[in-house]
Amino acid sequence: MTEQLGQLVEDARERLLQVSCDRDMEQARIDFLGRKGMLSVMSGKMKGLSPEERPVFGKALNRTKMAVEGLFEEAASRLAGVSGGLVGAEAVDLTLPGRKFPVGSKHPVTRIIDESVAIFRRMGFTVADGPEIETVYNNFDALNTPADHPSRDPMDTFYFSDGRLLRTQTSPVQIRVMKSVEPPIRIVAPGRCFRRDTPDATHSMNFHQIEGLYIDRGVSMADLKGVLLAYAHELFGPDVSIRLRPHFFPFTEPSVEYDFSCIMCGGEGCPVCKNSGWLEIAGAGMVDPAVLEEVGLEPEIWSGYAFGMGIERIAMIRYRISDIRLLYENDLRFLEQF
Ligand code: PHE
């Protein structure tokens, strides 16, 4: 009988090793320590013993009970450790199905930037970067912008009290790169820009541009047109054509604005292109000799082109978004569509 008691302790030890949740634990407790459990079955055997045997068996029974209770305590604290030391209602129920973590998606602006950078990389451009807080020199002066140019007005540009500003365009990156890198230069620079515009369906005080700059010997307007056409085809497909219109920028000469044929109507005319058949994408031109001189490049030797386009504008065309503000409201019903 004493052997049976020893076996009971071993059985309890083995059983408790397999316990992995509160429910298993409770069942084990009923089986070993419950009213009809193994221990009470054993103590029932007391009746059949002689008066001499009883106290000996009684002691052995008590020792067994204590050993088994000790094993249960151990098992209980092991279980509490598994559930992060929490008890009761706070404990982790390992039998519950797991919680799903929803996977996010890229913001449409990020998508257009990533795609555009990938396209220009394939054409041999590298990525350059510049700060969002710029000097007046980099954002305006070095870009040949006259002192009385309206874009400098505090009504249009955010200035800091120390005289610096929030860049109004990515073009200051041109200056930084040309001053620090020897030509040939072939870079694109995506980034945030800021203007004091009143927000509406097509204007935001905070928007993104991607700047392009190519400086080498004998660069021509034809190179610019070729790169822009290749970009249009990669982004919107082979049916898109582009159009350059004469324009003015202080830092390019000649300057153009370039349009893509409307991707909605294919150039027929529709509400998106306001019946013109064309979508205005950005500004570009041949780097003005005054800018080259400012950064210490000899205009007789070096020439180049630059372009700058609005990312939001392209995202809105690409994904048929009617209001620029949707891009910044972080409404999941909108963002989850991408
Ligand atoms: N920086 C100009 C703008 O914001 C665009 C531009 C870039 C034009 C490069 C010419 C060359 O409108």
Side-chain angles (χ1 to χ4, degrees):
M1 279 233 283
T2 348
E3 261 167 43
Q4 280 183 342
L5 289 176
Q7 188 57 46
L8 199 153
V9 176
E10 281 320 301
D11 287 352
R13 194 194 304 282
E14 223 160 87
R15 171 76 177 273
L16 286 170
L17 277 180
Q18 282 154 31
V19 161
S20 63
C21 67
D22 290 345
R23 216 177 332 133
D24 291 355
M25 187 76 168
E26 196 43 41
Q27 192 53 53
R29 199 183 293 281
I30 291 167
D31 292 347
F32 284 90
L33 300 169
R35 209 155 45 83
K36 291 181 183 157
M38 319 247 208
L39 265 164
S40 75
V41 169
M42 286 310 278
S43 49
K45 300 198 168 163
M46 190 87 96
K47 277 181 263 158
L49 292 177
S50 66
E52 299 83 58
E53 287 171 323
R54 276 188 197 176
V56 182
F57 184 69
K59 263 189 195 155
L61 204 60
N62 267 341
R63 253 184 277 127
T64 306
K65 193 168 179 221
M66 269 157 69
V68 172
E69 279 172 353
L71 289 173
F72 269 89
E73 257 167 54
E74 249 172 55
S77 59
R78 181 171 53 83
L79 208 60
V82 169
S83 46
L86 302 173
V87 284
E90 277 178 287
V92 176
D93 182 350
L94 296 175
T95 64
L96 279 176
R99 252 176 238 151
K100 270 197 192 149
F101 289 95
V103 181
S105 59
K106 271 191 197 168
H107 191 277
V109 167
T110 311
R111 276 170 176 254
I112 297 293
I113 291 177
D114 288 356
E115 245 180 81
S116 302
V117 165
I119 293 169
F120 285 114
R121 268 191 208 279
R122 289 200 287 276
M123 295 195 273
F125 288 77
T126 55
V127 176
D129 195 12
E132 288 161 11
I133 299 176
E134 262 296 3
T135 58
V136 173
Y137 174 79
N138 284 335
N139 195 84
F140 291 127
D141 300 337
L143 287 164
N144 198 33
T145 313
D148 58 355
H149 195 275
S151 66
R152 291 183 182 246
D153 196 297
M155 290 286 281
D156 291 314
T157 299
F158 292 103
Y159 288 93
F160 292 95
S161 50
D162 64 3
R164 289 183 303 165
L165 46 73
L166 287 174
R167 68 177 176 194
T168 60
Q169 49 191 356
T170 42
S171 302
V173 182
Q174 289 186 35
I175 303 299
R176 289 176 175 271
V177 172
M178 284 190 283
K179 284 199 166 189
S180 59
V181 182
E182 293 281 313
I185 294 168
R186 205 186 318 215
I187 58 106
V188 287
R192 235 174 238 279
C193 307
F194 308 83
R195 284 182 202 175
R196 245 187 157 132
D197 283 327
T198 307
D200 63 23
T202 54
H203 293 85
S204 167
M205 286 186 270
N206 171 205
F207 57 97
H208 296 74
Q209 286 187 337
I210 187 164
E211 192 80 8
L213 175 71
Y214 177 41
I215 306 282
D216 206 337
R217 291 183 162 87
V219 180
S220 78
M221 200 87 181
D223 297 316
L224 170 64
K225 198 171 174 185
V227 161
L228 294 179
L229 184 62
Y231 172 72
H233 285 171
E234 291 277 321
L235 200 64
F236 288 120
D239 298 334
V240 174
S241 46
I242 66 167
R243 164 175 96 167
L244 306 186
R245 278 180 290 112
H247 197 71
F248 174 81
F249 294 104
F251 36 92
T252 45
E253 181 57 37
S255 301
V256 293
E257 272 193 327
Y258 61 93
D259 305 334
F260 288 2
S261 59
C262 181
I263 59 154
M264 312 289 179
C265 62
E268 304 263 296
C270 71
V272 174
C273 59
K274 300 199 183 83
N275 276 321
S276 69
W278 295 94
L279 299 165
E280 191 186 314
I281 299 292
M286 302 307 292
V287 178
D288 195 302
V291 175
L292 292 174
E293 262 167 29
E294 181 64 38
V295 296
L297 293 177
E298 181 63 66
E300 299 299 322
I301 303 172
W302 302 108
S303 53
Y305 61 71
F307 56 85
M309 40 203 177
I311 303 289
E312 281 80 356
R313 172 107 179 112
I314 296 171
M316 287 168 74
I317 295 168
R318 176 61 164 298
Y319 301 114
R320 302 178 194 207
I321 300 165
S322 56
D323 193 318
I324 195 171
R325 287 167 291 196
L326 287 166
L327 292 168
Y328 296 109
E329 282 166 355
N330 287 334
D331 186 334
L332 281 180
R333 289 169 301 179
F334 171 76
L335 292 175
E336 277 171 352
Q337 297 175 52
F338 300 97

